[in-house]
Amino acid sequence: MSIICDRGGTRIKGTTIETIQDFVNIINAVRVSLEDEMDPEDAAGIMEQCGRLAYATGDKNTEAEAAAFREITDLLLKNGKM
């Protein structure tokens, strides 16, 4: 196991290949979970905004971060998830 999430924290431990495989598995699991609960296009939109949010947070780009949060919130509201 290379990506370990527990109580809001995340550790990466393992080889590069293991980390990439875990990352892909996590992305797929989240996508499937979202698609089980909402329109697949909206689920894809949330996945896209999560990627943008991750990059914005890493770059400390608060404007892009806020825009991604707004889009995620709008999609969740549209699907009755908030």
Side-chain angles (χ1 to χ4, degrees):
M1 180 182 290
S2 59
I3 300 175
I4 302 143
C5 300
D6 185 35
R7 299 181 188 160
T10 304
R11 291 187 321 246
I12 297 178
K13 177 177 147 181
T15 68
T16 300
I17 298 293
E18 290 169 334
T19 301
I20 291 169
Q21 186 60 57
D22 282 356
F23 183 60
V24 169
N25 290 340
I26 289 166
I27 291 170
N28 283 328
V30 170
R31 180 185 50 80
V32 168
S33 175
L34 291 173
E35 287 178 353
D36 285 347
E37 295 195 21
M38 65 183 68
D39 178 78
E41 287 181 26
D42 290 341
I46 288 175
M47 295 295 293
E48 178 182 354
Q49 294 308 317
C50 286
R52 289 179 186 208
L53 181 58
Y55 277 101
T57 301
D59 289 342
K60 302 199 183 332
N61 184 340
T62 54
E63 196 171 301
E65 189 176 335
F69 268 125
R70 277 192 304 276
E71 183 66 25
I72 291 168
T73 300
D74 288 348
L75 289 166
L76 290 172
L77 286 168
K78 176 184 173 191
N79 286 275
K81 299 300 176 189
M82 285 185 79

